[in-house]
């Protein structure tokens, strides 16, 4: 497949084309063209056995690698690594053999081959890479590992720097242990090599051209990273800020969930480093970081990922135990979500939470085996060998920049204390923790090693501890920030959105501009043959543009995107089947029915507004809710000027991403001060499709509503959707927007709008009865598609004394507008809230206090709807219809007592 096969009209496809052009088949040719050394076969059975032995070390040498600092267990028997397994004898040790593709020597004795293999694969680094199907990548790794021979050639300067960073890590933990006794901090002790590891990752990435690095991690060691990498002072972490007072709108969060950003100094120049906020849901930050990185890459035009790099830290038990890891890795190389490789670091303390028996925590040999699903190499490294750690970093970062793929570093270490500082691990892990208590720290071992080598004196090693301790005593930063031009060049101005009161702003678009935009999105600029049903959609949209046909939802939504792109804003939409639309209504991507290649014959009208328009990206995502929604949240928190939309295939599928909704979308601003303008489209409506395709679980979102944290809207007209989407960007407010979007209303003849509604209207949080029956004795308020059922029943029953009001925004509840509409019915005697959902679901319980607060004359609203139910809806059409009929009777005619 060659790069020209890809369409170059979209940023999405252009990135793929650039990737293939740089790293496609042609780039692999030099590797593939090289003949294997000694590839000529011989009839010598011993020669064949030697080549099989070499290959076995590449596959299984990691089994004998000295990875565990505690040396608790003997390596498992691996007969495939013994010469005898292949019929080789002691007499063969002095014989010379061809080495095949073994790097460094073409022919040597079997004894020398074994020594080389043992040094390369069975030392303090164990490598897994033979599962990779791409020959070029395997050969690249073979050359790195086999040419090193376990000798990492670390300069004296680097040795001293590694020791200094180890000293900083250990001294900080000991300082905190004495100054903040009993406080949870989830100590890094036992894994102090993480600090020099991150230090080297950042420097190596900068050497390759990185200008931004985004780090995601759980709580283990976060305080140490915040102090030693991000440069936060201890006082700023342990002293509660001013917003901790009860009257503050911010709840704040514990110190080991905190994020931070800074400019980090390296020998190769400064780099902006951001540590993402994360709740206790360990691995959920993985896709959030990927989304943030993608936004930054898009902003820079960094289509190959040279300038912005994700660095993602994992715990051993979480990596193998939480499904969002698999989802995130699965999407990591897809067109809409890739970052061109991430550096993954596993803090493998071999105990997870409270368990150290791998038979109870996973069904695979290594916690990193999930990485093999995307053919990522894994570098297992002994955490007590900082030089091996530095070599693993160099290899991983260079691999990422060479092949633009993920790479894992498994830092095998231990946890000196319990899960937290108040835990006693000896209770459940006596064998492991007796060994830990007797084991010297990594810093102690490495300092002694350097003293023995003559790299520095004992006094110099001790002086590093004193120097670090003195800085801590004086409240100084352990990693002072560097000066750079990041803020002036690439940072986003979020200040314009903070503290905003969200006044309504004009969202209408002049009729002449709507006509221009309508022409652009209904004109084919390339000759392609559309499917007959899509051609009809296009013909209908042309008639809508001319005012010859009422406007439907698909055209209004596309016009909203076009108007934002026209003003220079970017638009990003993702979800399962989002390009076409689950309900065949959006059609943002047109496909040539005569195309012969998947990569050709695609036309995206919204990319052809004009030359200075914003970027439009629409993605048919993988079959995931949790990882994809988390990715889009990360993207939206990094770019306030892009309309970011995630659409669920059906609204109830969003509960597969409940962690993202609860921990980030609903509470991220109050916990961390993180603003986010993400839009969720959740198809919702009770139409007889059963329990799993009816409800978007409106009640759950309303239960999360507080402190003006999110917006929840249920539009019933195309114009309402148009203005909602535009308001989300035009208004100087960045709050998540949850839209309960329509299904059958997409084609309902009464659910249409006109061009005038777009050219002069605005979003209406409350819609009065279009019939305006001012003498009505009964007012029925509702949200969503049930209004159309009520309207049809009212007309059929000739109920002229009933008014039907639509509440289109349920939160923040529009009390002023709702009160004004109710006041227009001075003779009202009965107030009713009608809903499709069961009584224990929907808006009733979460909205009743708002309804009654607005009711005139001390009146109260009465309920009309389905009774309480465990499942959202019935799976039987006859029962659905009977429930709907009862709902309509209760809403329109049942007598109610105030």
């Amino acid at each position: 497949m060659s790069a020209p096969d890809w369409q170059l009209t979209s940023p999405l496809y252009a990135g793929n084309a650039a990737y293939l052009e740089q790293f496609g088949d042609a780039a692999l040719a030099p590797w593939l063209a090289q003949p294997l050394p000694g590839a000529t076969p011989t009839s010598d059975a011993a020669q064949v056995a030697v080549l099989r032995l070499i290959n076995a070390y590449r596959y299984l040498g990691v089994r004998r690698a000295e990875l565990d600092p505690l040396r608790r267990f003997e390596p498992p028997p691996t007969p495939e690594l013994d010469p005898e397994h292949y019929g080789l004898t002691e007499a063969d040790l002095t014989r010379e053999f061809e080495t095949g593709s073994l790097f460094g020597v073409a022919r040597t004795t079997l004894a020398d081959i074994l020594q080389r293999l043992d040094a390369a694969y069975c030392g303090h680094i164990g490598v897994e890479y033979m599962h990779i199907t791409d020959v070029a990548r395997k050969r690249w790794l073979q050359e790195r590992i086999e040419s090193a021979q376990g000798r990492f050639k670390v300069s004296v300067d680097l040795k001293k720097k590694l020791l200094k960073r180890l000293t900083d890590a250990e001294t900080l933990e000991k300082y905190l242990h004495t100054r903040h006794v009993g406080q949870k901090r989830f100590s890094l002790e036992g894994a102090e090599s993480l600090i020099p590891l991150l230090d080297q990752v950042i420097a190596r990435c900068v050497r390759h051209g990185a200008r931004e690095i985004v780090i995601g991690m759980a709580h283990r060691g976060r305080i140490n990273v915040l102090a030693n990498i991000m440069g936060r002072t201890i006082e700023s972490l342990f002293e509660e800020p001013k917003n901790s007072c009860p009257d503050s709108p911010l709840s704040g969060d514990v110190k080991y969930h905190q994020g931070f950003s800074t400019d980090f100094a390296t020998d190769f120049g400064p780099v902006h480093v951001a540590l993402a906020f994360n709740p206790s849901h360990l691995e959920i930050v993985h896709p959030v970081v990927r989304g943030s990185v993608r936004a930054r890459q898009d902003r820079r035009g960094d289509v190959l990922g040279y300038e912005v790099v994700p660095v993602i830290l994992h715990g051993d038990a979480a990596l193998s135990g939480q499904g969002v890891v698999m989802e995130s890795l699965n999407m990591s190389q897809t067109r809409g979500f890739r970052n061109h490789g991430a550096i993954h670091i596993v803090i493998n303390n071999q105990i997870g939470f409270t368990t150290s028996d791998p038979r109870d925590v996973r069904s695979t040999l290594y916690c990193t085996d999930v990485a093999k699903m995307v053919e990522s190499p894994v570098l297992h490294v002994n955490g007590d060998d900082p030089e091996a750690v530095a070599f693993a970093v160099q290899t991983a970062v260079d691999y990422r920049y060479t092949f633009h793929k993920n790479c894992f570093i498994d830092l095998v270490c231990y946890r000196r204390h319990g899960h937290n500082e108040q835990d006693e691990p000896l209770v459940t892990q006596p064998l492991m923790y007796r060994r830990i208590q007797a084991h010297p720290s990594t810093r102690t071992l490495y300092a002694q090693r350097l003293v023995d080598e003559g790299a520095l004196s004992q006094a110099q090693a001790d002086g590093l501890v004193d120097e670090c301790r003195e800085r801590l005593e004086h409240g100084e930063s352990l990693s002072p920030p560097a000066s750079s031009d990041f803020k002036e060049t690439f940072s986003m101005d979020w200040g314009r959105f903070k503290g905003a009161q969200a006044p309504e702003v004009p969202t209408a678009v002049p009729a002449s501009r709507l006509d221009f935009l309508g022409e652009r999105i209904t004109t084919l600029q390339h000759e392609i043959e559309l499917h007959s049903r899509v051609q009809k959609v296009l013909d209908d949209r042309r008639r809508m543009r001319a005012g010859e046909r009422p406007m439907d939802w698909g055209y209004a939504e596309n016009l909203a995107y076009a108007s934002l792109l026209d003003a220079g804003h970017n638009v990003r939409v993702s979800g399962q089947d989002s390009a076409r639309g689950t309900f065949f209504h959006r059609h943002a991507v047109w496909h040539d029915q005569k195309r012969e290649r998947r990569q050709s014959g695609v036309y995206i009208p919204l990319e052809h507004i004009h030359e200075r328009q914003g970027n439009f990206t629409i993605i048919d995502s993988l079959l995931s809710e949790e990882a994809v929604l988390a990715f889009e949240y990360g993207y939206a928190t990094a770019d306030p000027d892009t309309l970011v939309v995630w659409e669920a295939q059906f609204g109830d599928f969003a509960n597969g991403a409940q962690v993202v909704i609860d921990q980030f979308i609903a509470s991220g601003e109050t916990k961390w001060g993180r603003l986010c303008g993400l839009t969720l489209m959740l198809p919702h409506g009770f139409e007889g499709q059963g329990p799993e395709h009816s409800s978007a679980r409106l009640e759950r979102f309303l239960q999360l509503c507080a402190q003006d944290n999110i917006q929840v809207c249920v539009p019933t007209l195309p114009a309402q959707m148009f203005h909602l989407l535009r308001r989300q960007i035009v208004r100087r407010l960045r709050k998540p927007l949850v839209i309960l979007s329509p299904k059958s209303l997409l084609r309902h003849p009464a659910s249409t709008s006109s061009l005038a509604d777009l050219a002069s209207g605005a979003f209406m949080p409350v819609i009065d009865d279009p019939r305006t029956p001012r003498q009505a004795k009964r007012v029925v308020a509702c949200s969503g598609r049930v209004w159309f059922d009520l309207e049809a029943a009212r007309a059929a029953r000739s109920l002229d004394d009933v008014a039907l009001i639509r509440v289109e925004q349920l939160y923040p509840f529009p009390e002023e507008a709702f009160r004004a509409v109710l006041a227009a019915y001075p003779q009202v005697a009965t107030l009713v809230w009608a809903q499709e959902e069961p009584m224990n679901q929907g808006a009733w319980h979460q909205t009743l206090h708002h309804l009654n607060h607005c009711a005139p004359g001390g009146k109260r609203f009465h309920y009309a709807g389905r009774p309480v139910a465990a499942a959202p809806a019935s799976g039987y059409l006859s029962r659905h219809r009977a429930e709907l009929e009862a709902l309509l009777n209760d809403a329109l005619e049942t007598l109610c007592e105030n």
Side-chain angles (χ1 to χ4, degrees):
M1 186 183 301
S2 60
D5 290 339
W6 294 88
Q7 290 284 352
L8 300 179
T9 57
S10 165
L12 189 63
Y13 293 120
N16 221 19
Y19 176 84
L20 286 172
E21 188 172 6
Q22 185 93 3
F23 299 102
D25 295 343
L28 307 184
W31 284 98
L32 298 175
Q34 294 177 10
L36 291 174
T40 304
T42 74
S43 59
D44 189 343
Q47 175 65 71
V48 173
V50 169
L51 295 178
R52 291 176 62 196
L53 179 61
I54 292 171
N55 206 43
Y57 266 87
R58 290 168 175 165
Y59 274 101
L60 301 173
V62 63
R63 303 280 183 91
R64 286 189 180 172
E66 298 175 11
L67 300 177
D68 184 3
L70 302 176
R71 299 182 181 180
R72 291 181 297 152
F73 306 110
E74 289 296 321
T78 312
E80 295 88 347
L81 301 182
D82 296 326
E84 294 81 4
H85 184 75
Y86 303 94
L88 297 168
T89 66
E90 188 172 346
D92 293 315
L93 291 175
T94 57
R95 286 183 59 187
E96 288 193 351
F97 295 93
E98 300 289 339
T99 62
S101 57
L102 182 66
F103 278 95
V105 61
R107 184 179 179 84
T108 187
T109 64
L110 176 57
D112 185 48
I113 290 173
L114 288 171
Q115 185 277 325
R116 289 172 178 272
L117 290 172
D118 189 73
Y121 292 106
C122 302
H124 285 171
I125 292 182
V127 189
E128 292 186 279
Y129 66 93
M130 292 301 286
H131 56 277
I132 299 173
T133 57
D134 179 64
V135 175
R137 289 192 278 149
K138 280 196 289 192
R139 289 193 192 170
W140 187 95
L141 287 161
Q142 283 174 14
E143 181 176 17
R144 278 297 181 99
I145 301 304
E146 294 173 2
S147 62
Q149 291 290 294
R151 297 184 293 272
F152 307 125
K153 299 178 182 178
V154 178
S155 68
V156 174
D157 285 344
L158 180 54
K159 290 173 186 281
K160 292 180 178 179
K161 186 168 187 177
L162 293 173
L163 179 60
K164 179 184 182 304
R165 297 308 272 151
L166 277 174
T167 302
D168 291 342
E170 180 179 293
T171 306
L172 173 67
E173 294 293 352
K174 290 183 176 180
Y175 176 84
L176 295 176
H177 199 65
T178 56
R179 288 302 180 92
H180 299 278
V181 179
Q183 285 204 37
K184 286 185 181 180
R185 68 179 193 275
F186 297 98
S187 164
L188 190 63
E189 289 172 89
E192 293 95 338
S193 287
L194 178 67
I195 297 305
L197 186 156
L198 286 175
D199 198 73
Q200 290 299 301
V201 164
I202 294 169
R204 195 76 177 182
C205 287
V206 174
R207 185 174 183 177
H208 279 286
R211 295 294 174 264
E212 288 186 73
I213 294 174
V214 184
I215 302 174
M217 69 180 297
H219 46 272
R220 174 72 54 204
R222 178 179 281 259
I223 291 176
N224 209 309
V225 170
L226 281 165
N228 271 307
I229 299 297
M230 308 305 295
R232 284 197 65 173
T233 62
I234 298 304
E235 287 73 16
S236 70
L237 285 167
F238 281 82
E239 290 182 2
E240 291 192 355
K242 294 180 180 178
N243 59 26
S244 64
C245 69
D247 296 329
S248 171
L250 298 179
S251 67
D253 203 349
V254 292
K255 50 190 170 291
Y256 41 83
H257 291 170
Q258 294 295 317
F260 197 63
S261 64
T262 188
D263 293 328
F264 188 87
T266 76
D267 294 339
F268 308 100
V271 60
H272 186 75
V273 182
L275 176 64
F277 293 87
N278 193 36
S280 290
H281 299 67
L282 308 169
E283 292 290 340
I284 192 61
V285 77
H286 179 173
V288 173
V289 164
R290 286 189 177 275
S292 177
V293 168
R294 180 58 182 257
R296 297 163 193 258
Q297 290 174 338
D298 288 350
R299 185 159 65 242
R300 288 174 173 265
D302 184 19
V303 295
L304 291 176
Y306 284 111
E307 297 184 18
V308 190
V309 181
V311 175
I312 301 164
L313 278 63
H314 310 269
D316 52 326
L319 178 67
S320 59
Q322 298 194 354
V324 71
V325 174
M326 184 281 293
E327 293 184 25
S328 302
L329 289 175
N330 188 38
M331 73 181 182
S332 66
Q333 297 296 329
T334 61
R335 293 179 298 175
F337 302 98
R338 66 167 170 242
N339 302 126
H340 304 281
I343 307 297
H344 295 264
I345 300 161
V346 184
I347 305 176
N348 184 355
N349 56 36
Q350 307 181 76
I351 195 171
F353 184 69
T354 58
T355 307
S356 62
D357 192 333
R359 295 173 298 180
D360 297 327
V361 297
R362 60 179 179 269
S363 299
T364 60
L365 182 59
Y366 298 109
C367 65
T368 52
D369 282 344
V370 67
K372 295 175 183 176
M373 66 172 282
V374 290
E375 298 193 355
S376 173
V378 181
L379 302 165
H380 306 273
V381 59
N382 188 317
D384 267 358
D385 188 346
E387 295 179 16
V389 170
F391 177 80
V393 167
Q394 293 171 12
T395 304
V397 174
D398 292 354
Y399 177 89
R400 186 265 178 192
Y401 268 93
T402 301
F403 297 104
H404 294 245
K405 302 285 186 180
N406 297 294
C407 192
F408 277 72
I409 299 173
D410 179 21
L411 182 66
V412 184
C413 49
Y414 56 93
R415 194 184 69 194
R416 187 162 291 278
H417 303 294
H419 175 65
N420 59 61
E421 289 64 39
Q422 300 165 5
D423 183 31
E424 177 48 80
L426 275 167
V427 172
T428 54
Q429 307 297 335
L431 292 176
M432 184 180 195
Y433 272 84
R434 282 202 304 270
R435 190 172 287 260
I436 288 174
Q437 288 174 347
H439 187 72
S441 71
T442 304
R443 188 225 165 251
T444 300
L445 293 170
Y446 192 55
Q448 187 60 53
R449 175 177 165 183
L450 296 192
V451 170
D452 292 344
E453 291 177 0
L456 78 173
S457 66
Q458 186 64 54
Q460 289 174 315
D462 295 340
L464 292 175
V465 177
D466 296 337
E467 179 186 339
C468 180
R469 184 82 185 192
E470 185 177 357
R471 281 184 292 160
L472 290 170
E473 295 286 359
H474 288 85
E476 298 176 11
S477 170
L478 297 177
S479 180
S483 59
S484 78
D485 63 348
F486 172 80
K487 289 186 177 180
E488 292 76 15
T489 310
F490 289 108
S491 66
M492 299 301 297
D493 177 19
W494 288 89
R496 55 199 156 125
F497 305 112
K498 292 183 177 178
Q501 295 301 310
E504 290 300 327
V505 295
T507 53
V509 176
S512 59
R513 201 61 188 172
L514 288 173
D515 185 67
F516 167 78
L517 298 174
E519 185 271 334
R520 301 304 295 171
I521 64 174
T522 59
T523 300
L524 272 169
Q525 298 190 18
H526 299 295
E527 281 297 323
I528 64 173
E529 181 177 318
L530 299 178
H531 189 279
S532 58
R533 292 183 64 187
V534 179
Q535 184 64 53
K536 183 180 184 305
V537 170
L538 176 57
D539 293 339
D540 287 345
R541 289 180 181 177
R542 287 170 175 164
R543 293 173 61 197
M544 293 173 199
R545 176 197 165 212
E548 299 170 359
R549 181 183 176 90
M551 184 186 306
D552 65 15
W553 290 79
Y555 187 53
E557 183 185 341
N558 275 272
L559 276 179
Y561 298 147
S563 67
L564 293 172
L565 295 167
D566 183 36
H569 298 289
N570 299 331
V571 174
R572 176 185 170 90
V573 182
S574 75
Q576 297 151 21
D577 208 12
S578 286
R580 186 199 71 175
T582 298
F583 307 103
F584 208 77
H585 71 287
R586 184 171 292 118
H587 295 290
V589 178
W590 299 344
H591 297 271
D592 188 352
Q593 296 301 298
K594 291 186 175 181
R595 75 181 184 200
E596 297 180 354
R597 294 179 299 187
R598 179 180 292 274
Q599 295 77 29
S600 63
V602 172
Y603 183 77
I604 303 174
L606 286 164
E607 294 179 347
H608 299 277
I609 306 299
H610 53 69
E611 292 181 355
R612 298 180 303 280
Q613 71 170 83
N615 290 328
F616 178 71
T617 303
I618 191 161
I619 303 143
D620 291 329
S621 71
L622 61 155
L623 198 63
S624 157
E625 283 78 37
E626 185 177 14
V628 173
L629 181 56
F631 185 101
E632 301 302 346
Y633 172 84
Y635 196 107
T637 57
D639 188 351
D641 295 322
T642 293
L643 176 65
V644 182
V645 179
W646 177 75
E647 181 181 48
Q649 193 173 50
F650 285 89
D652 54 305
F653 292 171
N655 61 17
Q658 200 65 46
V659 170
V660 186
I661 295 166
D662 291 347
Q663 311 305 130
F664 291 92
I665 293 173
S667 59
E669 182 179 356
T670 59
K671 290 191 298 187
W672 310 317
R674 299 295 290 164
L675 301 182
C676 172
L678 177 63
T679 297
L680 280 66
M681 287 188 184
L682 309 177
H684 175 87
F686 284 57
E687 298 159 359
Q689 294 189 29
E692 312 309 329
H693 294 91
S694 298
S695 175
R697 294 293 189 175
L698 171 62
E699 64 280 356
R700 293 182 178 170
F701 289 96
L702 292 178
Q703 185 184 41
L704 293 170
C705 291
Q707 298 178 296
D708 292 332
N709 58 335
I710 62 176
Q711 309 161 82
V712 180
C713 298
V714 193
T716 57
L717 295 170
Q720 289 284 84
M721 179 69 84
F722 174 88
H723 291 295
L724 259 182
L725 293 173
R726 284 186 47 76
R727 187 181 75 169
Q728 189 68 354
I729 286 293
V730 174
R731 188 165 55 165
R732 285 211 166 189
L733 181 79
R734 290 299 175 264
K735 302 275 187 180
L737 169 61
V738 179
I739 300 176
L740 276 71
S741 51
K743 297 183 296 180
S744 65
L745 286 190
L746 294 169
R747 292 174 180 81
H748 196 292
S751 183
T752 59
S753 298
S754 67
L755 286 169
D757 296 327
L758 277 55
S760 59
F763 175 72
M764 296 179 287
V766 180
I767 299 180
D768 196 2
D769 193 322
R771 297 191 184 191
T772 61
R774 297 306 182 202
Q775 306 305 311
K777 303 291 192 298
R778 188 184 192 98
V779 171
V780 180
C782 64
S783 285
R785 66 166 304 285
V786 72
W787 185 90
F788 295 90
D789 293 327
L790 291 165
E791 167 62 12
R794 178 178 66 170
R797 303 179 190 189
S798 301
L799 299 175
D800 296 329
D801 62 344
V802 175
L804 304 177
I805 299 172
R806 282 171 275 185
V807 180
E808 304 269 296
Q809 178 172 297
L810 288 167
Y811 191 83
F813 192 85
E815 288 198 4
E816 183 177 348
F818 188 58
R819 190 178 289 111
V821 171
L822 291 179
Y825 299 95
Q827 298 183 31
V828 63
T830 303
L831 297 172
V832 177
W833 173 262
Q835 66 178 39
E836 302 176 293
E837 302 86 358
M839 187 178 189
N840 58 315
Q841 300 169 34
W844 171 244
H845 285 302
Q846 297 299 325
T847 307
L848 178 59
H849 62 291
H850 291 296
L851 298 173
N852 288 336
H853 191 245
C854 297
K859 295 182 174 63
R860 293 290 181 266
F861 272 82
H862 301 273
Y863 174 78
R866 289 176 168 83
V868 295
S874 172
Y876 305 110
L877 187 58
S878 59
R879 180 170 175 173
H880 164 77
R881 288 171 175 167
E883 290 174 346
L884 177 60
E885 186 65 22
L887 181 164
L888 297 174
N889 290 337
D890 287 347
L892 297 174
E893 299 189 75
T894 299
L895 294 176
C896 304
E897 295 183 5
N898 277 315

